[in-house]
Amino acid sequence: MSTTGDKILDTALSKIGEKSLFTKELELALERNEVDLVVHSLKDLPTVLPPGFTIGAICKRESPYDAVVFHPKFVGKTLETLPEKSVVGTSSLRRAAQLQRKFPHLEFKSIRGNLNTRLRKLDELQEFSAIILAAAGLQRMGWQNRVGQILHPEECMYAVGQGALGVEVRAKDQDILDLVGVLHDPETLLRCIAERAFLRHLEGGCSVPVAVHTAMKDGQLYLTGGVWSLNGADSMQETMQATIHVPAQHEDGPEDDPQLVGITARNIPRRAQLAAESLGISLATLLLNKGAKNILDVARQLNDAH
């Protein structure tokens, strides 16, 4: 099915100003019982879902990193070794802000369209030296061979939920919830709950540069989160950790309100989910206390004004 975000291709995503760009038409079909479940890239799903919907499964995450695809004449280069003033295409304020800061010799320009369209624009127009895409999308399409460079967190942290698929269902449809619930990957779920809680508490969205990095190691969940000004000049990032044991799946008793950041996962212990949510909120609070709100407010105003 096509969505608003697929159709409005001449405007930067952050300017369209609609939270549910890639989800609205699909949710209408869900509401009308035309479909029973909808599969999204989790990073397209707002941290607060419309009433009556929930994310019933988060599948095991593909690579959450961003990838650089180079114009054929620059194959073998990296962002660092591209010529001065090379133009790099990305539709994401998050990527542009971080990469401008890291690679001041490059220029960043908005590029829209699905993967095929963007790759065609890169190859056929002489406008872009490279474009930045999610590695997961290229992997899913079988186009790994186009990846010229993977961006690691020290170069570019990823979007909340990037690389994971979320399955959205009607919140009261217990049969479907039970059916898709087995698809939850416990580690991905807990990392994404922490990431989504961080974003929700910061009130970040498409129109501000917010990025994260999470890792699970020896019962510890590590969350790094950052905010940037639009040009990357101002930035703030912090890391926090919490003890969370990735559970073997088991059945909990039914909860009154099982949703956390839009997600229902009855077969994963509630305690672990709450600990992940709490980590996200704590990190957001730390950044807000250190002045992140000012950076985000300015970014939002500038983005609205352009």
Side-chain angles (χ1 to χ4, degrees), residues 46-251:
T47 52
V48 180
L49 294 185
F53 301 111
T54 187
I55 299 165
I58 295 180
C59 305
K60 190 169 171 56
R61 196 174 209 164
E62 283 266 8
S63 163
Y65 300 114
D66 289 318
V68 189
V69 179
F70 292 92
H71 185 282
K73 70 176 180 214
F74 291 120
V75 166
K77 294 265 189 209
T78 63
L79 288 182
E80 204 155 349
T81 58
L82 276 178
E84 191 83 21
K85 298 252 182 296
S86 292
V87 176
V88 178
T90 169
S91 60
S92 151
L93 297 179
R94 170 188 62 80
R95 292 170 181 151
Q98 292 181 80
L99 294 172
Q100 262 173 307
R101 184 185 176 92
K102 196 87 187 163
F103 305 103
H105 70 293
L106 301 176
E107 290 181 6
F108 293 87
K109 200 175 156 187
S110 176
I111 182 169
R112 290 286 325 279
N114 59 27
L115 283 184
N116 309 41
T117 310
R118 290 189 204 190
L119 289 169
R120 197 176 62 242
K121 284 181 180 173
L122 170 68
D123 294 341
E124 293 176 8
L125 308 175
Q126 298 305 311
E127 193 179 348
F128 300 102
S129 302
I131 58 176
I132 319 285
L133 300 165
L138 289 162
Q139 281 169 355
R140 291 196 182 105
M141 296 296 285
W143 295 333
Q144 298 89 321
N145 62 327
R146 290 300 310 261
V147 175
Q149 181 181 3
I150 292 285
L151 296 173
H152 292 292
E154 51 282 359
E155 297 164 311
C156 190
M157 291 201 296
Y158 43 81
V160 165
Q162 185 161 324
L165 294 179
V167 182
E168 190 180 16
V169 300
R170 292 179 289 272
K172 295 211 166 8
D173 201 334
Q174 200 47 57
D175 287 353
I176 302 284
L177 270 166
D178 292 345
L179 188 72
V180 300
V182 296
L183 298 173
H184 270 305
D185 175 66
E187 182 178 312
T188 302
L189 170 82
L190 295 170
R191 286 170 59 190
C192 289
I193 285 176
E195 292 173 19
R196 285 171 66 83
F198 169 72
L199 182 66
R200 179 194 274 189
H201 200 69
L202 276 180
E203 294 186 343
C206 231
S207 58
V208 286
V210 174
V212 292
H213 176 254
T214 46
M216 197 74 129
K217 201 172 171 211
D218 304 329
Q220 294 287 313
L221 176 56
Y222 298 85
L223 170 64
T224 302
V227 302
W228 285 261
S229 59
L230 289 189
N231 65 1
D234 283 343
S235 81
M236 192 179 284
Q237 58 191 77
E238 291 288 343
T239 302
M240 287 178 95
Q241 68 194 82
T243 304
I244 297 180
H245 293 290
V246 176
Q249 300 201 4
H250 75 79
E251 293 297 323

Side-chain angles (χ1 to χ4, degrees), residues 1-4 7 18 20-38 40 45 50-53 168-170:
M1 292 174 70
S2 289
T3 62
T4 313
K7 290 173 192 148
E18 164 67 69
S20 53
L21 268 182
F22 293 104
T23 56
K24 203 179 216 157
E25 284 81 355
L26 303 170
E27 283 170 345
L28 275 174
L30 204 50
E31 197 170 27
R32 295 181 186 135
N33 288 335
E34 291 166 14
V35 298
D36 295 306
L37 47 104
V38 178
H40 301 279
L45 277 172
F53 301 111
E168 190 180 16
V169 300
R170 292 179 289 272

